[in-house]
Structures are given as structure tokens and as C-alpha cells.
Amino acid sequence: MAVFSGLVSPHPIPRPAGPPVVLLVASLWVAAGSWACRADAPPPIPAGAFGDAVRRGRALLVATRESLPAHVGNRLRCVSCHLDEGRRESGSWVGVFARYPQYRARSGGIETIEYRVNDCFRRSMSGTALDPTGRDMADIVTYFAFLSHGTPVGPPAPGGGTRLQQWARFTADTAAGGRLFATACAQCHGPDGQGTAAGPPTWGPASYNVGAGMTRVRTAAEFLRRNMPFDQPGTLTDQQAFDVAAYVNAQPRPDYSGKESDWPNGDPPPDVAYPTRAAQQKKPIPR
């Protein structure tokens, strides 16, 4: 019998060669968002080989750094950003399987879902890529497929970019963001942003690196506005979310080698946290 994130399954999770999959129960900031704690429980996972792969893929995403220590370089897990095991609207994995391959401006090319997963391993978790043809990746993608069952194949629904554009009208007050972090965020993420048993680190060597999407203030503000504080999501105002996002992203974090090659067509978003080579080449030469 296997136990994972507060759920019990009569089907054992197959064990591949290498480090075992670690299944967390006691970790507050994972279990607090588990399906077992929510009314919108997912459909039952089927028995058999497909169900085993779904369960194992979910376990890898929930206990990423424990299960795949060779590929995670910080103290984050996939569910640090993709809450409720990928079912919450913001950062949802529901439907992603049906939207890949797709073009992505950051890489300037067509990305497969395996490439996108590995991009998160390299950036958000400051680690190294999985074998795109290996079992770990296959089980993760199988979990996405399970969540995406019934989703029409096609491009992302419009609106995501529009939501991020709304943040363009805000001006950040990092001092206000720092004060709010101390009162509303530090209880879970620590006064120094280094994380606690209840929440992951938000800056420093154990957090996401400069190349991660969360270093964009608008992206971080959208995430915070919808999801934080964890026990009272949606209680921050837009300005408060923007201020905290700016404060957190003004703090030191690991670098990302090769970030200057992002957005090779010279079209980075205005809030990207670092200069890119192609964007600089497109700038007119001052006379």
C-alpha cells in the first residue's frame, strides 16, 4: 500500500532503478493543498499500468527534490508554484498536455512538453534536466495527461497575457512590499526569505534562479494576488501583490547561465529581470 500527500492507494508505485520516490505526508506546505483537503477532488485514478504511472508522476511532482535529488539544486518542488498538485487555476496543469508542442518566445522555437518540464528543472529548481525519454519524465507527462483528460487539443486559451498586461500600470513600492512581507509572508517563508517547514524559500541560494519565470515582477504579482497568503488567498490588493513581488525579486538569488540568449528574436517582455543579447542588438545606436 502506498501513501502520498495524505492519500492511500492499494496499488504499489513501481520502483525504477536509482533513488526511490519519496512520498510526503508531514510536509505542511504540500499537504495543506492536497486533494484530500479540498472539496474539488479529482476523478479517481484508474487501476493498472496507466494508474500506476499517474500516481508515480504525481509523487515526483509533489516530492521533487526528495525523489530526484540529482536534478534539483534548491529547496523547491514542482508544487511550490503549481499549487493543489497542479489543479489550482493559477499555474494549473489541467489541459497542458493538450497544448504542446507550442511556440514559446523565450526559446524562440517550438517546445515539447518534455522540454518545458526540463526548463523548470533548470530554472525554477536550479537543477539539471531529466532524460526526456526516461521513465521519470514519462510518468510526469502521464500525470499531466490524466489531469488534461477531456481538454480539447489546441493553443492556450486567450486571457493569460492580458492578465499580465494589467500590471503595467502599477509602480512598485519595494519598501511597502518589505513591510507587508514581514507581516503577511514571513510566518511561512521566514523573515529572511529562506523558507520554513511551512513554506519554501523566496530568495537566496535555495530559491529559484534569475532565469525562472517568477523573477518577472508581473508574473510573480499575478501568482501572489491569486494564491497568497496561502491560508487567505485573494486577500491582497493588486498594489500589495505588486509591491511584494517587486520586493521579493529585488533580493539576491542564483544566476542562470545562458540567460542572455533568451528571447532570441529580440522580443522579451518589459519586466524581464535581465538583459538579453538579441534585445540589445535591436536597440538603435545613439547619434
Side-chain angles (χ1 to χ4, degrees), residues 13 15 24 28 34 43 46 65 76 103 128 130 172 205 211 248 272 276:
I13 295 177
R15 305 288 186 179
L24 299 182
L28 172 64
S34 74
R65 62 185 296 263
L76 302 187
Y103 173 80
T128 59
L130 302 177
V248 166
V272 66
T276 61

Side-chain angles (χ1 to χ4, degrees), residues 5 17 22 32 41 54-55 69 74 85 98 100 109 127 137 139 146 163 187 201 253-254 259 261 263 265 270 280:
S5 193
V22 177
V54 171
R55 293 182 182 89
N74 57 24
E85 295 163 338
Y100 281 86
M137 180 66 78
D139 288 348
F146 170 73
R163 287 197 301 271
Q187 60 181 339
R253 63 186 64 258
K259 63 184 183 300
S261 298
W263 290 280
N265 294 322
Q280 290 178 317

Side-chain angles (χ1 to χ4, degrees), residues 173-219:
D173 183 342
T174 54
R179 292 191 295 270
L180 186 58
F181 183 92
T183 58
C185 311
Q187 60 181 339
C188 289
H189 299 287
D192 56 358
Q194 302 307 295
T196 71
T202 52
W203 67 79
S207 188
Y208 54 89
N209 66 43
V210 172
M214 199 65 80
T215 58
R216 291 182 55 192
V217 172
R218 298 180 188 180
T219 299

Side-chain angles (χ1 to χ4, degrees), residues 52-62 136 139-141 143:
D52 289 342
V54 171
R55 293 182 182 89
R56 187 172 181 276
R58 181 176 64 177
L60 291 171
L61 294 163
V62 169
D136 293 332
D139 288 348
I140 288 172
V141 172
Y143 177 69

Side-chain angles (χ1 to χ4, degrees), residues 94-95 97-98 144-153:
V94 177
F97 182 81
F144 293 159
F146 170 73
L147 289 184
S148 302
H149 180 75
T151 304
V153 174

